Amino acid sequence: MLKPVLCALMLVTVWPACAADAVTDAMQQAYAPYRVALFKTNMHDQAESQQALTKAQQAWRLLTARFGVKPPAPYDRDPAFAATLAEVDQAYAQAAQEIAKNQLGAAHETLERVRDILSALRQRNQVIVYSDHMNAYHSEMEHALKAGPKLLGEPNGLLQLGMQAGVLEFLARRLRMEAPVEQANNPEFLSLAQAVEGSVAALKAALLAQNPTAAKEALGKLKPAYSKLFLKFG
């Protein structure tokens, strides 16, 4: 359990604060329609998934046309920058084919790769944005959702899941604490962030009460709370 905590601490203590640069700003703008496409494929809405993905592709192509050949600092020293842009474009093309075939589950998984590709791009260029805090929470949430149901039926499973809930609690708190000023003062953001923290608190309460039924129910409420925050502010 040390690894996720150390990764979370890296977000706070090692990486620099997000420095405004044209490429990162453009990537964050292009990230908005991407988030919608990711959300819509998860909701199994074919028509809206295609519309959102088309907007994401258009935004990405504009970014590639503007910066693909000669990006400014800090990406100007990254030899893999152009290849990374192409990798995102390829993922979008694959997702488009899967959506056209109504394979929305596969398209969602394909689009999940884009989040990891962009995160790795920023990390190797020492850039951090709010999405990185969202990604850190998402990663641990998915781990809890995958391992949680099995742990609930195992000896000491509630204790082990409680340790994961502690990591989620830390990361959920960071989502509010690390928010940019414009978000931190936004009532909608605060409501959605508090809902994420509340979903974790409900899981912890169920685990402390040693109530597997309540814990299972609380696990099921983690992702909806996160998804709403991710869609609008992630």
Side-chain angles (χ1 to χ4, degrees), residues 19-30 63 66-67 70-75 81:
D21 68 84
V23 177
T24 300
D25 288 346
M27 285 195 292
Q28 289 303 99
Q29 292 175 8
L63 184 151
R66 183 180 176 189
F67 300 113
K70 191 175 181 181
Y75 302 95
F81 181 77

Side-chain angles (χ1 to χ4, degrees), residues 64-203:
T64 300
R66 183 180 176 189
F67 300 113
V69 176
K70 191 175 181 181
Y75 302 95
D76 55 336
R77 291 176 291 180
D78 184 350
F81 181 77
T84 299
L85 299 191
E87 190 176 359
V88 172
D89 191 57
Q90 290 164 7
Y92 281 158
Q94 180 180 337
Q97 293 177 356
E98 291 164 342
I99 291 172
K101 297 176 183 177
N102 205 26
Q103 298 173 348
L104 299 184
H108 183 77
E109 292 300 318
T110 299
L111 290 174
E112 286 277 15
R113 295 207 315 263
V114 173
R115 173 163 32 199
D116 296 333
I117 293 168
L118 296 180
S119 178
L121 171 64
R122 291 191 300 269
Q123 184 173 359
R124 69 175 182 258
N125 287 284
Q126 298 185 339
V127 173
I128 185 168
V129 296
Y130 184 70
S131 296
D132 293 303
H133 298 288
M134 292 291 293
N135 292 346
Y137 179 88
H138 175 267
S139 177
E140 290 306 315
M141 178 191 71
E142 290 290 351
H143 179 63
L145 292 176
K146 182 177 180 179
K150 182 180 179 181
L151 287 174
L152 291 175
E154 294 183 352
N156 296 321
L158 292 177
L159 178 61
Q160 293 181 56
L161 188 55
M163 295 170 66
Q164 293 185 15
V167 175
L168 285 175
E169 182 180 42
F170 171 82
L171 294 174
R173 192 179 302 120
R174 299 305 302 178
L175 293 180
R176 183 167 43 83
M177 294 174 63
E178 294 295 330
V181 174
E182 63 272 16
Q183 287 182 202
N185 295 325
N186 185 321
E188 183 181 9
F189 169 79
L190 291 174
S191 176
L192 293 174
Q194 288 167 0
V196 172
E197 291 185 66
S199 69
V200 177
L203 175 60

